[in-house]
Amino acid sequence: MTTSPRRASRAGVALASTLLAASTLSGCGVFGSPDLVIYNAQHEQLLDELVPLFEEESGLDVELRNGKDLEMANQIVEEGKDSPADVFLTENSPAMSIVDNAGLFTELPESATATIPDEYVPSDRMWTGFLGRSTVAMYNTDSMTDADMPASILDFAKPEWKGRVAFSPTGADFQAIVSAVLALEGEQATADWLAGLKDNGVIVQNNLVVMQSVNSGEVDAGIAYSYYWYRDRAENGSDSDSSDLHFFGNQDPGAFLSISGAGILASSEHQDAAEEFVTWLTGTEAQQAMAESYALEYPLNPDASLNPEVKPFDELEPPTVDVSSLNGPQVTDLMTAAGLL
């Protein structure tokens, strides 16, 4: 985005060109350098809504670079101390652990974590959660009732569900769910569950297709996060009007609450701006803005309130999972071994 003046024999022409270039820059700091670079693996639309609010309040210019959880995490690790990123945001926490385990985050200030419950902040304070996404099973209401649904997400691997449950193994969403099963049930139980899903489940392209497949009756049930269904209902219900949500609760792995994370790179040359952004992100203003956005994900700041049509946060009964222990690389190894990747 930096514009350099053309070389000219007369210094006045060069100076005029430089001033013109500086005056026409948009979304950048002095001479095209942003005040903050965010590697964003959360939903692009959500950050496109949020960042202008932060820029207006702070007076800082932010550059967003969007991508996917594990791809961006691995890119940061590859870039190391030369990464241009100041802040890293993810949809799911296993990608945060990849960067954290590489020693590339710096400890967050107290101001950035003070509003987030301790269970959603790693003990080393190298990153923090800022949004939650509840695992659910969607079911077709023409063929099923809530009473017909299994007690545990692990039951979907049983033969009686052959050809009846859809899931999308290639996305970070499902892989985060697998990471919770791994943390809660252990490696062998996770491998057995994945093998059962491979044999009995219906693999589809993404979570939207999971919802559509359930709604159309192609399958009886599907594994996804709740916000897909709530969003569709809020829009027009075309992909959800013949389905409903089953919340496993009871601390089952199927009630896993996946956490979107935010961390500051130790190599950042804009530490003050990065701290200001993450503190703002976890504060009540930004958390309420996210709660009122199209996203319909759960804000983690207790002072923010979500749409009342969404199942209340305090009724989810998720299992207790150490967010810093979720292992993305081991999950992909297990899923590859099961033939799902």
Side-chain angles (χ1 to χ4, degrees):
M1 297 181 68
T2 303
T3 302
S4 300
R6 293 181 179 178
R7 295 193 176 190
S9 59
R10 296 176 61 185
V13 174
L15 176 59
S17 299
T18 302
L19 292 175
L20 177 61
S23 69
T24 57
L25 288 170
S26 175
C28 295
V30 178
F31 300 114
S33 298
D35 299 310
L36 194 66
V37 175
I38 298 175
Y39 276 23
N40 174 47
Q42 236 288 349
H43 290 111
E44 183 175 348
Q45 181 179 340
L46 178 61
L47 268 294
D48 282 344
E49 293 179 15
L50 285 178
V51 164
L53 300 178
F54 173 73
E55 289 180 314
E56 181 177 0
E57 182 173 318
S58 66
L60 299 173
D61 295 312
V62 177
E63 179 184 330
L64 278 177
R65 301 187 185 183
N66 299 295
K68 297 181 179 180
D69 271 1
L70 298 181
E71 291 175 4
M72 296 206 90
N74 289 323
Q75 179 180 339
I76 290 172
V77 171
E78 183 177 349
E79 292 170 343
K81 295 180 180 179
D82 295 324
S83 177
D86 299 302
V87 174
F88 181 38
L89 304 179
T90 64
E91 281 194 73
N92 302 284
S93 63
M96 300 300 293
S97 296
I98 291 174
V99 178
D100 194 10
N101 291 339
L104 297 176
F105 284 137
T106 188
E107 184 175 353
L108 293 176
E110 173 67 21
S111 60
T113 60
T115 60
I116 304 298
D118 287 343
E119 59 264 39
Y120 307 123
V121 183
S123 58
D124 63 7
R125 292 297 195 269
M126 289 295 181
W127 59 273
T128 182
F130 67 94
L131 279 177
R133 304 132 69 76
S134 179
T135 309
V136 295
M138 302 174 183
Y139 65 92
N140 182 277
T141 52
D142 293 330
S143 62
M144 304 280 290
T145 68
D146 192 67
D148 296 323
M149 296 297 286
S152 172
I153 197 172
L154 302 180
D155 293 335
F156 280 135
K158 295 180 178 179
E160 56 260 38
W161 282 96
K162 188 172 183 64
R164 299 174 58 204
V165 58
F167 66 107
S168 178
T170 57
D173 285 358
F174 184 79
Q175 292 169 28
I177 296 169
V178 177
S179 74
V181 175
L182 177 61
L184 293 163
E185 303 294 328
E187 183 173 346
Q188 188 57 57
T190 303
D192 293 343
W193 181 62
L194 292 173
L197 284 179
K198 177 65 166 61
D199 290 342
N200 302 317
V202 177
I203 296 174
V204 298
Q205 183 178 3
N206 55 47
N207 286 318
L208 177 59
V209 180
V210 169
M211 180 169 63
Q212 292 170 336
S213 299
V214 173
N215 199 63
S216 67
E218 294 176 39
V219 293
D220 290 327
I223 300 170
Y225 288 149
S226 63
Y227 69 90
Y228 290 95
W229 190 87
Y230 284 123
R231 280 186 199 170
D232 189 74
R233 281 297 176 97
E235 292 171 358
N236 54 40
S238 62
D239 289 323
S240 60
D241 55 1
S242 294
S243 64
D244 209 338
L245 299 182
H246 174 72
F247 289 84
F248 290 98
N250 298 314
Q251 292 76 51
D252 187 76
F256 169 60
L257 190 72
S258 184
I259 302 303
S260 295
I264 297 173
L265 278 297
S267 56
S268 168
E269 297 180 357
H270 308 106
Q271 291 287 328
D272 290 345
E275 290 182 3
E276 184 175 353
F277 175 77
V278 177
T279 298
W280 179 83
L281 187 70
T282 58
T284 302
E285 177 190 355
Q287 290 278 296
Q288 189 60 46
M290 286 184 274
E292 295 173 1
S293 74
Y294 87 104
L296 294 178
E297 299 176 58
Y298 290 95
L300 296 183
N301 182 331
D303 291 335
S305 56
L306 192 59
N307 185 320
E309 295 181 3
V310 177
K311 188 178 181 70
F313 187 79
D314 58 7
E315 295 180 11
L316 296 177
E317 299 179 345
T320 299
V321 178
D322 180 357
V323 293
S324 65
S325 70
L326 299 180
N327 191 316
Q330 189 178 5
V331 164
T332 55
D333 287 346
L334 285 167
M335 293 181 68
T336 300
L340 293 171
L341 293 178

